[in-house]
Amino acid sequence: MFDIIVANGTISTAADTYVADIGIKDGIITAIGRNLEGADRVIDATGKDVLPGGIDSHVHIAQPSGDGIVMADDFASGTLSALHGGNTTILPFCMQEKGGSLRAALTDYHAKAEGECYTDVSFHLIISDPSPQLLGQELPAAVADGYTSFKVFMTYEGLRLNDAEILATMDVARETGALMMVHCENEDAIRFLCDKFASENRLAPLSHALTRPVVAEREATHRALSLAEVVDVPVVIVHVSNGAAMEEIERARSRGRNVIGETCTQYITLTASDLDGMDWEGAKFVCSPPPRDETEQKKIWSGLERGVFNLFSSDHCPFRYEDDRGKLNPKGREDFRHIPNGIPGVECRLPILFTEGVLAGRISINDFVAMTATNHAKTYGLYPKKGTIAVGSDADLAIWDRAAGRTIAHAGLHDGSDYSPYEGRTVDAWPTTILLRGKLMVEDGALVGTKGAGAYLPRELSALAKKAQAA
Ligand code: URP
Ligand code: ZN
Ligand code: ZN
């Protein structure tokens, strides 16, 4: 009757926690109840937490990085690392190259992913060149084909859009029902500070954090929310690093705006002082927005506790450290402005939040599931196929072992980088058995599934964006 029964686990969804068996047939959850019988295989989950497989909706893999820089993960290593960290779906970004077509970027990105994935994947788009052709034809066609979310940048030379371009791109989101994600940092303020620091020969990694202050993020967040209000469109504010930017989200919501807030592991664990490491070690923590300080960490925690943040993601963006094409490239080892931005973290996101959030009593296990799986599926058009444990949903399950705590060491991780920013941190639980659409992929910490088991997922419109369109 069933292919697999996951027996007697403590199931948690975003709403409930209870003990039951899960019956799986043809990759789908077909029964949840007590004393289920009749399966080829029974996995005993007594005393374990059975959660929906994690969904990490902010991941960078094999993204062109320019200037001789190469990302450390391809789809094989990136999804393998995600899987071992309890994830069954990830959403990396397919980037339109300046002047290039979206179709070409998608063809190329799909070719990179095809047959290589250990988790399911779906792609967001990055819009770097909102030409009339792109906004009028390519982007609406891509949304109709299931690429229902796209990111724009207010910073990074070569990627940033000006306000007029952001407004025009938001208008396409409104027309098509797609969801727009915005990276909020004021590029001109950052450029001004970078030039000043360079003229004073302050070129070490710490300068990266000092030249991207909270005010640059707060101002851009306010502006992005204001532009979304002008167009009357919902918006996702990604990787919020501090309290002031978070308060902009709360203020916009109090005006009735439809805003999704995302924060990431680095903003509850790292601080700018990590960029001040011995020699050039601080380069290992260079990401944007940068980690702040302990006061800001507390504010981010309060946002997680109060439900200000819908999404907790990794912003996994891996580069190798000791590498000419990574953090210590010939220019980057002398000048912070040439250190590639981004840090690895897809494998550690869930164990860190489980330990410091759930086990430390800051958030409930149901909030954990919401912020790491269910809300990602709802926000990005994958729910209820993904992101929950329910009859009819894909059997994407992570079985957590509270006796499998460990000290994080990069040697035990599976990404393509050569370090972890979370090295030495202790976690008190780990998702040791993982099922992807009913297929056993990881068993007691060991890989038993195969490359290529992960599939590409076209997506519906976001439930959030749909609601706004209907209004
Ligand atoms: O430093 C970061 N976060 N790199 C990844 C790109 C982005 O802005 O999300
Ligand atoms: Zn970003
Ligand atoms: Zn990112």
Side-chain angles (χ1 to χ4, degrees):
M1 186 175 161
F2 301 112
D3 299 325
I4 296 187
I5 291 173
V6 176
N8 207 34
T10 304
I11 298 168
S12 286
T13 65
D16 299 301
T17 298
Y18 55 95
V19 175
D21 306 334
I22 299 172
I24 300 166
K25 180 76 186 159
D26 296 333
I28 305 289
I29 297 172
T30 55
I32 301 175
R34 301 307 297 265
N35 306 314
L36 297 184
E37 284 182 353
D40 299 338
R41 171 89 202 262
V42 176
I43 298 172
D44 181 14
T46 303
K48 309 256 174 70
D49 296 284
V50 182
L51 309 187
I55 301 177
D56 195 337
S57 63
H58 191 148
V59 168
H60 303 266
I61 287 179
Q63 195 175 296
S65 303
D67 221 10
I69 303 299
V70 177
M71 245 175 217
D73 275 322
D74 56 18
F75 277 90
S77 62
T79 57
L80 182 65
S81 182
L83 180 75
H84 277 282
N87 301 283
T88 47
T89 300
I90 62 167
L91 279 77
F93 293 84
C94 174
M95 188 174 79
Q96 176 207 18
E97 302 261 25
K98 201 106 188 150
S101 98
L102 214 44
R103 272 287 145 218
L106 280 166
T107 303
D108 184 49
Y109 211 48
H110 273 288
K112 287 180 179 167
E114 182 66 33
E116 294 292 306
C117 296
Y118 289 90
T119 65
D120 286 351
V121 297
S122 190
F123 302 161
H124 303 293
L125 306 170
I126 288 175
I127 305 304
S128 65
D129 194 355
S131 63
Q133 149 78 9
L134 178 117
L135 295 182
Q137 289 157 41
E138 278 208 284
L139 188 50
V143 175
D145 284 348
Y147 306 96
T148 54
S149 50
F150 44 86
K151 182 177 176 188
V152 301
F153 290 83
M154 299 171 90
T155 185
Y156 298 142
E157 220 175 286
L159 263 186
R160 70 171 296 193
L161 306 191
N162 64 34
D163 290 357
E165 291 171 325
I166 291 172
L167 286 162
T169 310
M170 282 178 169
D171 206 29
V172 177
R174 205 177 75 87
E175 289 294 319
T176 58
L179 192 56
M180 183 140 148
M181 312 156 77
V182 189
H183 178 134
C184 301
E185 288 183 290
N186 181 316
E187 173 67 12
D188 290 335
I190 292 165
R191 191 70 25 228
F192 168 80
L193 290 171
C194 282
D195 291 348
K196 211 171 169 57
F197 273 55
S199 73
E200 293 163 4
N201 209 27
R202 298 168 69 188
L203 298 175
L206 176 63
S207 295
H208 173 80
L210 302 178
T211 56
R212 304 185 90 97
V214 165
V215 59
E217 186 180 342
R218 187 199 73 211
E219 183 281 329
T221 304
H222 178 80
R223 188 155 37 98
L225 290 166
S226 302
L227 299 178
E229 193 167 338
V230 168
V231 178
D232 192 15
V233 71
V235 69
V236 184
I237 304 296
V238 293
H239 48 47
V240 175
S241 74
N242 67 84
M246 179 181 84
E247 282 162 16
E248 294 296 341
I249 293 175
E250 294 184 272
R251 261 197 288 281
R253 284 185 186 147
S254 73
R255 295 193 299 272
R257 302 308 312 160
N258 211 337
V259 186
I260 292 282
E262 179 200 68
T263 192
C264 306
T265 324
Q266 48 271 42
Y267 306 120
I268 55 166
T269 50
L270 306 178
T271 65
S273 64
D274 288 309
L275 279 74
D276 199 11
M278 295 281 287
D279 299 324
W280 220 252
E281 292 260 326
K284 291 179 175 175
F285 303 91
V286 165
C287 60
S288 297
R292 304 298 181 181
D293 60 21
E294 277 161 21
T295 304
E296 297 302 336
Q297 280 186 357
K298 286 199 181 89
K299 291 181 187 167
I300 294 296
W301 268 119
S302 124
L304 288 165
E305 287 161 16
R306 293 184 293 114
V308 179
F309 294 111
N310 316 75
L311 306 174
F312 184 84
S313 306
S314 69
D315 195 4
H316 178 78
C317 184
F319 299 96
R320 289 174 59 80
Y321 175 63
E322 299 264 9
D323 198 311
D324 266 7
R325 301 184 305 171
K327 296 281 189 184
L328 296 190
N329 67 80
K331 289 184 190 161
R333 68 174 68 138
E334 291 181 349
D335 183 335
F336 74 94
R337 294 171 297 173
H338 297 283
I339 299 171
N341 284 208
I343 59 176
V346 72
E347 198 165 339
C348 299
R349 170 186 76 126
L350 296 174
I352 288 175
L353 189 66
F354 196 96
T355 301
E356 310 220 353
V358 179
L359 298 179
R362 287 174 164 130
I363 57 171
S364 71
I365 195 163
N366 311 100
D367 290 341
F368 173 85
V369 171
M371 286 188 282
T372 59
T374 316
N375 292 348
H376 297 254
K378 287 184 174 173
T379 301
Y380 294 117
L382 289 169
Y383 188 83
K385 179 179 166 65
K386 301 289 186 188
T388 192
I389 296 176
V391 171
S393 295
D394 282 1
D396 293 343
L397 302 175
I399 303 177
W400 284 72
D401 187 348
R402 297 188 186 203
R406 63 199 64 181
T407 300
I408 293 172
H410 188 261
L413 302 177
H414 300 81
D415 62 79
S417 186
D418 56 354
Y419 77 97
S420 169
Y422 309 112
E423 185 87 19
R425 187 170 286 271
T426 301
V427 291
D428 296 331
W430 199 274
T432 50
T433 296
I434 314 294
L435 286 90
L436 172 65
R437 282 178 278 104
K439 198 172 184 340
L440 199 52
M441 295 296 290
V442 175
E443 190 172 14
D444 296 328
L447 182 69
V448 293
T450 50
K451 190 163 82 171
Y456 183 79
L457 306 167
R459 285 178 287 122
E460 305 277 316
L461 294 181
S462 160
L464 179 85
K466 260 194 222 157
K467 200 173 78 191
Q469 238 190 1

